[in-house]
Structures are given as structure tokens and as C-alpha cells.
Amino acid sequence: MGNKLIWDDRFNIGIENIDKEHKKLFKIMNKLFTANENKDKSQWFCREGIKYFKEHAIRHFSEEEDYMKSIAYPGLEMHKRLHEDFRLRTLPALEKELEKTDFAQDAISHFLGVCAGWLIGHTLTEDHAIVGNEETKWSEFLPEEEQGAVKQTIRNLLYDMFELDAQAVSECYGGERFGNGVYYRLIYASESGRQREIILIFEEKLLLATVGKLISSHPSQIDVTLINASRYAAMQFTERIKKHFSKTELYTLKSEHLLTYEQFQKAIEKEHLRYSLLYNTGEGYFAFCSFMPQQVSEKSDELHTESEITHVKNYLRMNEQEKNSGKKKLLVVDDSVTVRHAMKNLLQDDYQTAVAASGISAIRSITLDRPDLILLDYDMPVCDGAQILQMIRSETAFADIPVFFLTGKVDKESVNRVLPLKPQGYLVKSAKPLDIKKNIDSYFERATG
């Protein structure tokens, strides 16, 4: 079944004229979705339909702003800026792409995905705020209370937008992989040149269960239309959060990027995360990371409207190749960043290699994405390798995960201290890298032989 915007009661804000106009925009979009999937429909029909959608949307923006003026809505200026950004930046760029490709099916699908995501996100966030469904203002909180306020605000938004009763499972998410994820980065800048980066991480099944179900009655896989719809819904989600960044500075969107997991890890490991929250929504995991970068961000391709179609397709292709690679999953647990990087560089060509810097991070990583083998540093501060292994063995779901100890000592006493814990083996950090890898390769050969 093709794409179709699904209207439900969540989109009603309780103002008859605005709700009526929203429904009309949804109907126009659905006619365009149908026309784009029907090759018998003429190009003229799509041209005229898109033109009609644009004219209707702009008229609706004006009418909505007039209503906000009539009730002295305090968020009018911010709301107008979002309308203007869509009208003056997003729509013209999309129209340029349509003309350049002579209204090719891919370009129309891109237009529809972007507009669908923007409509979904804007209606469920900014428009609902008009009638008082406003999240708590962070400015009312003291700095030590801000983390809790951020956490609750995001939880409220997840419920308001998608009816998900999300539970925060970590306030210090360290970037551990969870299943198959989509990593979306937004970079904002103020007039003074200060930057803020936000990275939103969605488990794929969460996108299918939320945005996917709003643009298709039976979503089955992540595709270009869903990614584009999710991006623009996520932008609106983030707008509701970023307005509280500063009382004195206005931050505007500078660039956006789709990151691989490797790029995401490199981006966050260099920075002190101001917020790093992980949620279990019941439909999949969601994480929110925010920081003010002290250096240039990890290099990744910026999304530009004229190249979005190709970029998103390539991104989905890379994700699909990784999912279908058949590589075994390794988790390297070591408090030394040097060791973590060295092991990752040694192993990542042949294995999906995740890293953790502490026992807490290791347990969280194991919970989120079960590895096939754990390489565990024996000598770590606070919680050493023996304690971590005992925690792993005490959980029925993890008890059978094989563990190799990483040790810097090869004396008889140290080895004898490791053996009673019954690891599958141990690796000496000072050994030659190729010997370390050969031991790991041999283990898997024996295990599958």
C-alpha cells in the first residue's frame, strides 16, 4: 500500500477553522501521493496539485497568524518565523528541484516527504501550543534543576506527538548503539557565532511506529519518503526544545546531517555533552544529545535540498549494507581511550565493533545491542573487570555471552586471578595487534566450526 497521510484526533487543536484547514492540507497531500504513484496521472496534474498546495498552505499561514494576533498569543513571532522559513526557504528550494528534474517521480516524492513531515511536526507541536498545550519553560528552573526539566519536556513532546509513554532510562547516555538506528544532527548558530549541536537518535522500528504510521497504514521499511518526513517532524520537535537554549540569543538552523554510527561516535566523544538522555518509548529507543561544540564538528555531508534525494538514498544503502553484513558484534570495554581506539581500528573492518569506557556503559551497551563477544579490561577503576563479569553472569539474558579479558599483565599470579572467573580466554594488550586479532578470529572459527 502506498503512502498516505493518516488523520487522527491528535491533529485536532480545538479551533474549528484551523482544524478544517489542516484537514484540507492533508487531503491535498493525499491526492498528490496517489497521483505520484499512478503513472497514468499526467505531469500537469502534479504540477497543478503542488502549486495548489503551496498557495493553500501560505494562505493558511496568514489566517493562522491573524488568529494568533486576535488572542495576543505570546509565541506569535516564533510561530511566524517557522512559517516564513518554510515559505521562503524550504518551499522555493523544493520547487527549484522539481523544475530542474522536470517533476520527476523522485523529486515529487521528496517534496511530499518533506511537506508531510513538516505538517505532522508543526501541527503536533507549534499549533497545539496556540491553545495552551505548552511544555514547561526551562527558564523557570535553576541550573541544577534544568536536567530534570529537559528530560520531562522531551517526554511530554513524545507523548503529545506520538502518544508514547516514554521512560527515561539514562541521563548520561554515552552513545551506545541500540539496534538499527538513524542518527540525525542539527547545528544551530546564534548571531554572536555561538553554536549548538543536537543529535537525535531513533531506533528504526520507532520511526516505523510513529512517523511511519502517519504517512502509511502499513509501514514495513525505512525508505526515502519516511526519512524525509521524519527529518522535518524532528525539526519541529527540536524547535520546541531549542527556544529555551538562551534568554538573550536566538539560534537558527545552520545545517543538518544524517550520520553513520561511526560519525556519531566521533562527534560526541570529543565534546562534553550538556544533555545526553536515553528513552525507552515502548516502541523502540530514542536518544537526545546536546552540546556546544568547542571545535569543528566531525566531518559529514551536509544535507542540501538539491542533493537530498541522492544523499538519503546513499545513507539508507549504507545502513542496509551494515545490517546485512553478517559481521559478528564485538564490545570493547576499557577505561583507556587509546586502547579503545586501537582495538576498534584493529577490528572494525571484520567486526561490528562497539566500545564502552566503564562498567555502567558496558551494561547499557549489552542491554541495548547484545554483542557476540565482549573484550573486557581486567584492571579498571571504580568497577573492575571481575565485578563487571559478575554482573553479566548474574543476568540470565546475558549470562551466556562469551567474554575475553584484556590484561596488561602476563605474570602467573595475574593469570591465575583471572582464570577462576571462567572467561572464554584472555588477551594481553602488549601483544602484537595481528596476534590479538588472530586469537579473536580463531575463537569464532572454533565457535562456529
Side-chain angles (χ1 to χ4, degrees):
M1 185 176 291
N3 290 322
K4 178 182 179 182
L5 277 171
I6 312 297
W7 180 274
D8 66 29
D9 288 341
R10 274 179 290 165
F11 292 106
N12 287 315
I13 69 172
I15 301 171
E16 184 177 355
N17 288 342
I18 293 179
D19 288 339
K20 182 179 178 182
E21 292 304 310
H22 286 159
K23 288 178 181 178
K24 190 171 291 185
L25 286 170
F26 271 54
K27 287 181 180 178
I28 296 170
M29 289 287 294
N30 282 334
K31 287 182 179 179
L32 285 167
F33 271 124
T34 301
N36 193 41
E37 291 161 5
N38 186 345
K39 294 182 180 179
D40 294 332
K41 289 285 186 180
S42 67
Q43 186 188 79
W44 174 87
F45 182 90
C46 288
R47 283 179 181 270
E48 291 303 306
I50 288 170
K51 179 181 176 182
Y52 182 62
F53 170 83
K54 176 188 172 183
E55 292 173 350
H56 197 87
I58 291 171
R59 185 168 65 248
H60 168 60
F61 291 166
S62 177
E63 292 171 352
E64 193 171 78
E65 289 165 15
D66 286 341
Y67 174 80
M68 288 187 283
K69 287 178 187 175
S70 73
I71 63 171
Y73 176 56
L76 171 61
E77 290 306 313
M78 175 63 75
H79 208 110
K80 283 177 66 176
R81 278 196 290 270
L82 295 174
H83 284 169
E84 288 172 2
D85 180 71
F86 187 72
R87 178 171 59 86
L88 299 177
R89 185 179 70 88
T90 305
L91 281 176
L94 290 169
E95 287 179 299
K96 183 178 178 180
E97 180 186 60
L98 288 166
E99 293 293 342
K100 184 178 179 180
T101 62
D102 198 25
F103 281 68
Q105 190 171 25
D106 274 354
I108 295 172
S109 295
H110 182 212
F111 177 93
L112 294 173
V114 168
C115 291
W118 196 92
L119 273 175
I120 289 168
H122 194 69
T123 303
L124 294 176
T125 57
E126 294 297 334
D127 288 345
H128 271 274
I130 297 172
V131 292
N133 298 335
E134 180 78 76
E135 75 279 357
T136 304
K137 294 290 189 292
W138 299 357
S139 57
E140 297 173 2
F141 290 85
L142 298 173
E144 61 267 23
E145 298 174 307
E146 195 170 283
Q147 176 88 344
V150 174
K151 182 172 69 173
Q152 188 59 41
T153 298
I154 294 173
R155 186 171 183 241
N156 290 347
L157 283 169
L158 288 169
Y159 184 82
D160 291 342
M161 290 184 71
F162 304 118
E163 294 185 328
L164 296 173
D165 186 14
Q167 302 298 318
V169 295
S170 177
E171 296 179 12
C172 53
Y173 171 61
E176 298 85 9
R177 188 197 295 268
F178 45 83
N180 300 315
V182 172
Y183 303 83
Y184 179 47
R185 176 169 65 190
L186 297 156
I187 300 179
Y188 295 90
S190 68
E191 291 183 358
S192 68
R194 288 160 63 88
Q195 285 195 5
R196 284 188 181 264
E197 290 195 17
I198 289 177
I199 302 179
L200 307 176
I201 306 101
F202 304 87
E203 193 168 2
E204 285 189 2
K205 66 179 183 179
L206 174 61
L207 289 182
L208 289 170
T210 53
V211 179
K213 285 187 177 178
L214 291 174
I215 62 171
S216 175
S217 54
H218 295 90
S220 59
Q221 64 181 14
I222 302 290
D223 59 16
V224 173
T225 300
L226 177 54
I227 285 287
N228 285 322
S230 299
R231 282 173 47 218
Y232 278 80
M235 280 186 196
Q236 306 302 311
F237 179 95
T238 307
E239 285 293 335
R240 299 305 297 166
I241 299 169
K242 84 173 182 65
K243 65 175 60 179
H244 305 292
F245 282 167
S246 172
K247 299 178 184 178
T248 57
E249 291 188 289
L250 174 66
Y251 284 84
T252 54
L253 183 62
K254 178 183 176 183
S255 63
E256 52 167 328
H257 313 251
L258 287 167
L259 305 179
T260 64
Y261 178 65
E262 302 300 326
Q263 290 170 330
F264 163 65
Q265 278 194 315
K266 290 179 181 178
I268 67 168
E269 70 184 7
K270 297 185 299 185
E271 304 292 348
H272 175 68
L273 293 168
R274 187 175 183 188
Y275 308 116
S276 189
L277 303 166
L278 176 66
Y279 295 81
N280 184 350
T281 71
E283 295 285 358
Y285 285 98
F286 167 77
F288 175 89
C289 301
S290 173
F291 51 92
M292 298 185 71
Q294 302 300 312
Q295 51 188 299
V296 177
S297 300
E298 170 65 18
K299 182 174 177 57
S300 59
D301 293 333
E302 182 179 343
L303 284 162
H304 294 286
T305 303
E306 59 270 20
S307 61
E308 280 181 9
I309 296 173
T310 300
H311 185 91
V312 173
K313 282 183 176 180
N314 288 339
Y315 180 77
L316 290 174
R317 189 178 301 114
M318 284 190 298
N319 278 7
E320 196 62 30
Q321 287 173 350
E322 183 179 51
K323 281 189 286 186
N324 296 327
S325 68
K327 292 180 180 179
K328 295 290 186 181
K329 297 179 183 178
L330 301 185
L331 173 63
V332 178
V333 186
D334 200 295
D335 63 304
S336 167
V337 65
T338 302
V339 172
R340 293 198 303 273
H341 283 179
M343 294 297 289
K344 189 171 181 67
N345 289 336
L346 173 66
L347 300 167
Q348 64 185 356
D349 287 345
D350 295 319
Y351 300 96
Q352 289 189 42
T353 309
V355 295
S358 67
I360 292 174
S361 179
I363 296 300
R364 188 162 56 228
S365 186
I366 295 166
T367 303
L368 295 172
D369 195 37
R370 179 189 171 98
D372 296 300
L373 176 65
I374 300 170
L375 307 180
L376 177 60
D377 183 18
Y378 188 82
D379 296 301
M380 288 197 297
V382 183
C383 184
D384 65 22
Q387 292 169 309
I388 296 171
L389 181 54
Q390 287 170 355
M391 286 191 284
I392 293 171
R393 295 292 183 245
S394 68
E395 291 289 334
T396 304
F398 310 148
D400 60 343
I401 299 176
V403 174
F404 271 50
F405 273 126
L406 294 172
T407 179
K409 301 175 182 178
V410 292
D411 58 279
K412 186 175 181 180
E413 182 181 347
S414 297
V415 172
N416 288 338
R417 190 172 48 158
V418 165
L419 293 178
L421 296 168
K422 296 183 179 178
Q424 269 63 35
Y426 69 92
L427 300 170
V428 180
K429 295 181 187 180
S430 59
K432 293 179 181 179
L434 289 180
D435 288 340
I436 292 175
K437 185 173 183 301
K438 188 180 294 184
N439 275 312
I440 294 170
D441 293 341
S442 296
Y443 167 75
F444 281 115
E445 289 172 6
R446 293 194 304 273
T448 58

